[in-house]
Amino acid sequence: MSTSPLSYKPWLAGDAPQTQVVLQRSTQHLAELVEELVRVRAQTGRLIHLDIEPEPDGLLETSTEFIDYYETYLLPQVSGHLQATLGLSQQRAVQAVYDSVQLCYDVCHFALAYEEPAAVLEQLATKKIKVGRVQISAALKADLPPSSEDRHALAQQFSTFAESTYLHQVLVRNRDNSITQYPDLPAALPHILDAQATEWRSHFHVPVFLERYNLLQSTQPEIQKIIRLLAAQHFTAYLEVETYTWEVLPPEIKQDLVSSIERELSWVKQNLELAELQLKESNITSTVGVSA
């Protein structure tokens, strides 16, 4: 099961004491849930894990925030709860936390944070935190040209995705690699001419088979990266294609729902098969090289 990143960060407005209260209360709720998951596993032999999904403007947005929360709050507080309520040893309680609370890797969300999949997976492995599932999803993006005329054209394209059903946060990469973040597309559009900005990524889940939309691109290459890593490392058995914006897509790319979902699943399957084939060919080449 995937779950939200605890709370909505703007609600807390930088209030450190209140943020700590929310973190502690959320962790207590998770402790009670994990206690029940441990009971279920003991009774049925079935492991059910809750996968926390970082996302823009969530209380946990990035891999760094997720890992920090996991080590500072989740691991000590939940393992202590399990020792007190179930009589588990410290070692078994800690392992129960690692098994029961994992990461939901939403490809769109990590792409929005400009995080490299390989680096995230390496960090998690170092900390012994598991990836429970991968949500295969893509965001809108654009590399910003120097011309103001070209930027206005991009803004016009982005504006066709500005709708009120969902928040479509915009994360801007600047020349110094810093990130500027806006809570929604309408708030970001007036800043399209910012000379320091080099790239825009917007939290609008577009069909994963869509590489480009007129002047805009998608973060589809990030999906292909994670698929190749999955073929090589087998870090999870659970994949979910997560596009939920079918009803609010611009008319030019809105298609029949059934055929669109079928096309998405076919695209993912083809890329999974291609990644497996490339891995086998790479292994064969490596073997031949060693033999020679």
Side-chain angles (χ1 to χ4, degrees), residues 62-213:
T62 65
S63 62
T64 298
E65 290 181 347
F66 172 77
I67 291 171
D68 182 63
Y69 166 71
Y70 204 105
E71 294 191 319
T72 304
Y73 290 90
L74 188 75
L75 203 54
Q77 190 170 329
V78 178
S79 63
H81 177 86
L82 297 178
Q83 291 175 70
T85 58
L86 299 180
L88 299 184
S89 67
Q90 182 181 18
Q91 182 178 4
R92 288 186 61 199
V94 167
Q95 188 58 52
V97 178
Y98 282 130
D99 290 342
S100 301
V101 184
Q102 304 184 23
L103 174 76
C104 174
Y105 192 110
D106 187 298
V107 183
C108 167
H109 297 167
F110 280 95
L112 287 164
Y114 296 90
E115 297 204 60
E116 280 296 323
V120 173
L121 294 179
E122 184 177 356
Q123 279 186 303
L124 293 170
T126 299
K127 302 295 185 177
K128 302 180 182 178
I129 302 172
K130 301 174 184 178
V131 177
R133 71 164 66 190
V134 169
Q135 287 183 174
I136 297 176
S137 54
L140 280 175
K141 64 161 283 187
D143 296 317
L144 301 183
S147 162
S148 60
E149 182 179 352
D150 291 341
R151 289 199 181 200
H152 278 303
L154 284 174
Q156 181 59 38
Q157 292 274 294
F158 272 112
S159 70
T160 64
F161 290 87
E163 56 79 39
S164 60
T165 305
Y166 306 104
L167 289 173
H168 303 294
Q169 294 90 351
V170 175
L171 286 91
V172 181
R173 178 150 60 183
N174 299 308
R175 295 186 186 281
D176 61 0
N177 280 326
S178 64
I179 304 296
T180 303
Q181 187 162 331
Y182 300 97
D184 204 356
L185 265 168
L189 289 170
H191 302 277
I192 192 71
L193 297 182
D194 183 354
Q196 296 304 310
T198 60
E199 182 178 351
W200 271 29
R201 295 186 180 186
S202 178
H203 187 195
F204 195 115
H205 286 239
V206 292
V208 300
F209 54 76
L210 193 68
E211 185 178 4
R212 299 191 65 90
Y213 169 66

Side-chain angles (χ1 to χ4, degrees), residues 1 11 15 26-27 31 48-49 63 65 67-68 78 84 108 118 131 145 176 183 186 208 230 233 247 259 274 278 284:
M1 300 180 290
W11 285 342
D15 185 334
S26 298
T27 308
I48 301 172
H49 47 85
S63 62
E65 290 181 347
I67 291 171
D68 182 63
V78 178
C108 167
V131 177
D176 61 0
V208 300
L230 184 63
Q233 300 178 21
E247 295 302 317
S259 60
L274 177 61
Q278 290 173 335
I284 289 171

Side-chain angles (χ1 to χ4, degrees), residues 9-65:
K9 191 178 286 182
W11 285 342
L12 301 169
D15 185 334
Q18 185 60 27
T19 298
Q20 188 172 18
V21 169
V22 170
L23 288 168
Q24 290 172 339
R25 286 180 179 173
S26 298
T27 308
Q28 181 56 36
H29 294 155
L30 287 172
E32 294 166 8
L33 175 59
V34 171
E35 178 188 346
E36 185 60 26
L37 296 180
V38 171
R39 293 183 193 276
V40 169
R41 189 177 187 183
Q43 293 167 2
T44 67
R46 294 182 181 275
L47 170 63
I48 301 172
H49 47 85
L50 188 71
D51 304 332
I52 296 176
E53 180 183 343
E55 66 175 294
D57 279 344
L59 191 52
L60 308 177
E61 296 190 68
T62 65
S63 62
T64 298
E65 290 181 347

